[in-house]
Amino acid sequence: MVLLVFAAQLGSLIAPAYACGCGAMVVDRTARVSVDRETSVVDWDGSTEQIVMRLTVRGNAPEAAWIMPVPHRATVGLGDASLFSELQTLTAPVSATRHYFWPRAKDWPFGGSGGRSGDGAAAPSAAAPVEVVGRERLGPFDVARLAATDPAALESWLKENGFELPDRLATALRPYVEQKWEYVAVRLAPEKSGSPLSGELDPLRLRFASDRLVYPMRLSRLAATPQSLGLYVLAAHRMEPRGAIGGGRPEVTYAGRVDAGQERGAYPALGALTGGRPVFVTAIDQSFPRPELIDGDHELRATGSDTAYRTTYYRDELLTVGGVPAWALSLLGGAAVVVTALLLALRARRHRPVTPPPPVTVPPPLA
């Protein structure tokens, strides 16, 4: 699948600072940049894959670059930033209230005075070692698409064009070169000259042929800080990663079917990406506390069933009736029933008819 990596044309030496799941981030030796969050939308219809990727970065680098391996020749364009807003709204957690009967530590009479407790509760041609297959300007991006079959040749081409490929990045790229993947090299400079790269970068959209759903993560092992990945997977069924690939357990935060064609007014960017076809949306979050443990790419597969799911945060409340705790009412009611029963029994006892004593028989006189 797709792997984006910013590769920067800086006239001086360039060294990698941090890497993200999309690939290797490269900046000048005197600068620094870190990727706080990587969020991607992956759309797959069984034969074609699209990745719309957005990074949130911070640092003081005036320029940066990416190098991203892709399994087949890709077309590159700018992504629609509103796509992320639509999916964030669609998959947002919901709140619900659930009641409990017996009082807890913070409830009266143990403490507090109310009835609430705040408990909180997804192959290119090998004709030449390096081949430039396309170059274009996309907004603030200078995009070069390369085909390379030799890591050393790729390194030479990058140096000739103002890039430096560190040894560890060349080693990390070797599996992709052996699989005859291509690369997307992207140079980014802020629109305001002299401003550092910071905040959410403009999203890029890549499209390529693929008979399997793969999200490249191998280059993330070069990251110097913990990584956070958010994936929105759009496919015919609910999807799941085959494994954790060295990170924390992938967490599904949303799963549900969406017909963007019928709901085009609500999700226009989603409908444009999918061509209006119905899709099953699976939102997955994963953390990588130790990126050096990442040992492969994410391969996603369909789950056994398309079970819908939505993250729900619960507020636990003490059950009340008219502002009075239900447990107190039940105790009072129980006591009232007992007292009433006793009174009725006593009353029944008082009004029970008295049986007269048997008649006294006088014996006959003695003769």
Side-chain angles (χ1 to χ4, degrees):
M1 285 208 26
V2 178
L3 225 73
L4 272 149
V5 183
F6 275 24
Q9 284 179 327
L10 304 174
S12 59
L13 294 178
I14 301 175
Y18 297 92
C20 56
C22 63
M25 179 78 75
V26 182
V27 296
D28 183 89
R29 288 185 183 275
T30 62
R32 62 178 179 80
V33 67
S34 64
V35 178
D36 291 335
R37 175 75 171 173
E38 171 192 349
T39 306
S40 294
V41 180
V42 183
D43 175 56
W44 185 60
D45 63 5
S47 61
T48 301
E49 183 172 341
Q50 299 182 85
I51 293 182
V52 183
M53 174 173 290
R54 183 180 65 184
L55 300 181
T56 303
V57 303
R58 57 187 170 87
N60 61 3
E63 294 179 291
W66 246 342
I67 291 192
M68 179 177 204
V70 292
H72 293 280
R73 189 151 300 180
T75 59
V76 185
L78 289 177
D80 188 343
S82 64
L83 175 64
F84 296 92
S85 300
E86 291 179 8
L87 286 170
Q88 188 175 24
T89 300
L90 174 66
T91 63
V94 294
S95 298
T97 300
R98 58 186 177 188
H99 294 90
Y100 57 92
F101 187 79
W102 294 110
R104 298 179 179 176
K106 294 184 179 180
D107 298 318
W108 182 87
F110 305 112
S113 59
R116 292 194 177 184
S117 173
D119 295 342
S125 171
V130 175
E131 175 190 1
V132 181
V133 298
R135 191 157 193 166
E136 52 252 315
R137 182 76 182 182
L138 299 172
F141 299 105
D142 179 14
V143 180
R145 288 175 287 126
L146 316 175
T149 58
D150 181 358
L154 175 61
E155 180 178 10
S156 298
W157 186 93
L158 290 172
K159 285 184 176 179
E160 289 173 6
N161 287 270
F163 302 97
E164 180 180 329
L165 183 65
D167 292 340
R168 62 176 190 154
L169 181 54
T171 301
L173 286 171
R174 185 176 296 276
Y176 297 116
V177 174
E178 292 173 351
Q179 296 176 58
K180 295 183 170 57
W181 283 31
E182 292 191 359
Y183 305 91
V184 175
V186 183
R187 176 181 177 273
L188 174 65
E191 295 183 1
K192 267 190 167 182
S193 179
S195 300
L197 292 170
S198 183
E200 292 179 347
L201 304 183
D202 291 339
L204 278 176
R205 174 179 173 179
L206 291 87
R207 179 186 175 95
F208 51 90
S210 181
D211 58 1
R212 61 193 181 111
L213 189 50
V214 180
Y215 187 76
M217 289 291 299
R218 195 184 304 271
L219 296 186
S220 289
R221 66 185 306 162
L222 304 180
T225 59
Q227 300 291 289
S228 174
L229 172 67
L231 279 182
Y232 296 103
V233 185
L234 316 179
H237 301 283
R238 175 170 169 168
M239 307 297 287
E240 65 180 1
R242 289 183 178 272
I245 63 169
R249 183 175 180 272
E251 178 187 0
V252 174
T253 59
Y254 178 88
R257 192 168 299 280
V258 178
D259 191 339
Q262 293 185 358
E263 302 180 59
R264 190 172 295 273
Y267 308 110
L270 180 60
L273 180 69
T274 62
R277 77 180 194 280
V279 293
F280 200 99
V281 179
T282 310
I284 302 170
D285 274 345
Q286 188 178 14
S287 61
F288 296 88
R290 298 180 60 190
E292 70 275 11
L293 298 180
I294 295 174
D295 56 8
D297 299 321
H298 261 321
E299 293 191 30
L300 294 111
R301 63 187 177 186
T303 59
S305 61
D306 292 338
T307 304
Y309 173 79
R310 189 162 198 161
T311 300
T312 303
Y313 295 110
Y314 290 100
R315 171 184 286 276
D316 289 350
E317 287 189 4
L318 181 66
L319 182 63
T320 61
V321 178
V324 180
W327 66 267
L329 291 177
S330 66
L331 291 180
L332 290 174
V337 169
V338 172
V339 171
T340 301
L342 290 174
L343 291 176
L344 290 176
L346 183 60
R347 181 180 178 185
R349 184 180 182 86
R350 287 178 178 175
H351 290 80
R352 187 170 56 190
V354 178
T355 303
V360 177
T361 304
V362 178
L366 296 173

